[in-house]
Amino acid sequence: MLAEGRGLGMHVAITADRPGSVPTGISSAFQRRVALRLADEGGYLLLDAPADILSPSSPPGRAVIDGAEAQLAIVGGDPGVAEQAKALGALAEAIARTGRAPAAGVGTLGTEIPPASLPADVGGLPVLGVSDDTLAPVGFEPSGAMVLSGPPASGRTNALRWLIASVERAHPKVTRYYFGSPRSVIGQLPGWEATALTVEDAGSLAKEVAATIAETGAGEKILVVIEQIGDFLSTSADSALVEMIKAAKRSDHLLIAENESGGWGSSWPLLQEVKAARTGFLLQPESMEGDTILKTSLPRVSRADFPPGRGFFIARGKSMRVQLPLVE
Ligand SMILES: Nc1ncnc2c1ncn2[C@@H]1O[C@H](COP(=O)(O)OP(=O)(O)O)[C@@H](O)[C@H]1O
Ligand SMILES: [Mg+2]
């Protein structure tokens, strides 16, 4: 808002109790400063105000504005809190009478979004989640290979459940295949056409699915989920899975491969084949993970800004901060 709001007619006023509590990156965006009396004389310098105008005994509302001493006006003329509230209320009504639209509230991105609050699709695409910049649902292209990554407890299992449900909402007749562990709740979900819960099964199912994908054209939808793809590295299923991933990338069908963040680093063909699609969802990412996993730079981020289920969706070289819904 500070950097780009001005050109859009957005004006920002902020207050702070000390000049030092405003980082320079923020304070430098302000053209004008109003200094009220400060406890610390050094503070006036930081506000570009002469230090000898105000003192600790200056009355409330006495200020330095553009180098000159000034007294700020009081709405309604009475400094009492109740009177102030009344006067501000009257001011708001007066402004409303001029026909101006009331200011929209500033929304925040939810941390627990119920799937039922989202539409069935966004412009015909399955819903991914709610975007951080518009606070509106966003969709994703359900084709090709997609990385799903995140540290422990970042919401990967929930993300898989949601993505499966979401693709199913947009494509009720989707045919689903699962590769993973017999202990996973995902593999136990109803509706799989086939599941491979051992390395041996994974090898043979991957060959079947690769052939099916190659034969199944537009109009039908196949979804392949590989949970903890790292578990299949250098196993007898590895090369068959690589071939299946290649087939998925050449098709209009979707393959989602999940792994813990730390497990995506190496460049084994099995991982590389998925990563090279440069599409995926990185939950609670470190800044570097955009580059290391999907060759797409992320803005500088701090993990603290990412509750479970929040991350960056990366596709076509762009990143978007998104909160995934929480499946019951
Ligand atoms: N999209 C989400 N929104 C809100 N909370 C979530 C979301 N995804 C996960 N969580 C919370 O985080 C916990 C761990 O989620 P889980 O999917 O099991 O993580 P992981 O598989 O990465 O270990 C869940 O029990 C839930 O409380
Ligand atoms: Mg999990």
Side-chain angles (χ1 to χ4, degrees):
M1 279 202 300
L2 289 175
E4 292 159 32
R6 235 178 147 215
L8 302 168
M10 230 182 260
H11 302 276
V12 181
I14 65 166
T15 65
D17 58 355
R18 285 172 298 120
S21 62
V22 184
T24 40
I26 289 179
S27 67
S28 62
F30 287 86
Q31 286 78 42
R32 199 158 207 213
R33 288 165 181 73
V34 175
L36 291 144
R37 72 168 187 241
L38 298 169
D40 164 27
E41 264 184 29
Y44 295 107
L45 274 175
L46 290 169
L47 292 169
D48 293 329
D52 57 356
I53 296 181
L54 302 180
S55 76
S57 60
S58 296
R62 189 60 53 96
V64 181
I65 306 174
D66 298 338
E69 185 171 13
Q71 179 68 26
L72 296 172
I74 284 186
V75 180
D78 188 326
V81 177
E83 290 306 313
Q84 285 273 292
K86 236 190 246 170
L88 281 173
L91 177 63
E93 276 171 27
I95 292 173
R97 277 198 301 277
T98 66
R100 222 175 280 216
V106 177
T108 51
L109 185 54
T111 54
E112 286 195 10
I113 296 166
S117 70
L118 298 171
D121 66 274
V122 175
L125 297 176
V127 179
L128 179 65
V130 176
S131 153
D132 163 73
D133 55 357
T134 58
L135 302 184
V138 285
F140 69 105
E141 198 72 53
S143 61
M146 181 172 165
V147 163
L148 176 62
S149 165
S154 59
R156 284 163 302 148
T157 299
N158 176 77
L160 278 181
R161 292 183 66 170
W162 165 248
L163 292 171
I164 294 163
S166 176
V167 171
E168 203 145 53
R169 264 159 105 166
H171 300 273
K173 294 206 183 115
V174 61
T175 306
R176 301 197 258 111
Y177 297 94
Y178 174 82
F179 296 79
S181 137
R183 290 180 307 279
S184 164
V185 295
I186 301 295
Q188 285 157 33
L189 292 174
W192 296 110
E193 181 76 10
T195 61
L197 308 178
T198 62
V199 165
E200 293 71 37
D201 287 355
S204 53
L205 183 60
K207 287 194 189 104
E208 262 177 59
V209 173
T212 308
I213 283 176
E215 290 159 9
T216 311
E220 291 178 63
K221 185 59 86 182
I222 295 173
L223 169 62
V224 182
V225 171
I226 311 176
E227 195 172 14
Q228 293 192 47
I229 190 171
D231 289 356
F232 293 105
L233 271 179
S234 308
T235 64
S236 59
D238 189 316
S239 61
L241 287 168
V242 170
E243 291 310 313
M244 178 180 70
I245 295 163
K246 284 184 180 162
K249 285 164 72 179
R250 282 192 298 263
S251 77
D252 287 329
H253 304 295
L254 176 64
L255 180 143
I256 303 173
E258 181 268 346
N259 215 13
E260 215 178 282
S261 315
W264 283 108
S266 72
S267 52
W268 289 99
L270 181 57
L271 304 179
Q272 198 52 41
E273 201 58 58
V274 186
K275 294 195 288 182
R278 297 181 64 196
T279 302
F281 201 95
L282 311 182
L283 286 152
Q284 299 185 332
E286 307 271 14
S287 292
M288 285 311 296
E289 280 172 21
D291 292 298
T292 54
I293 303 178
L294 294 171
K295 290 205 164 48
T296 304
S297 297
L298 294 179
R300 272 182 53 184
V301 289
S302 144
R303 274 251 169 105
D305 299 335
F306 291 81
R310 188 167 307 180
F312 277 102
F313 178 64
I314 292 179
R316 297 167 206 269
K318 291 202 186 106
S319 66
M320 173 167 60
R321 202 187 288 219
V322 171
Q323 177 75 34
L324 300 177
L326 179 61
V327 179
E328 272 300 303

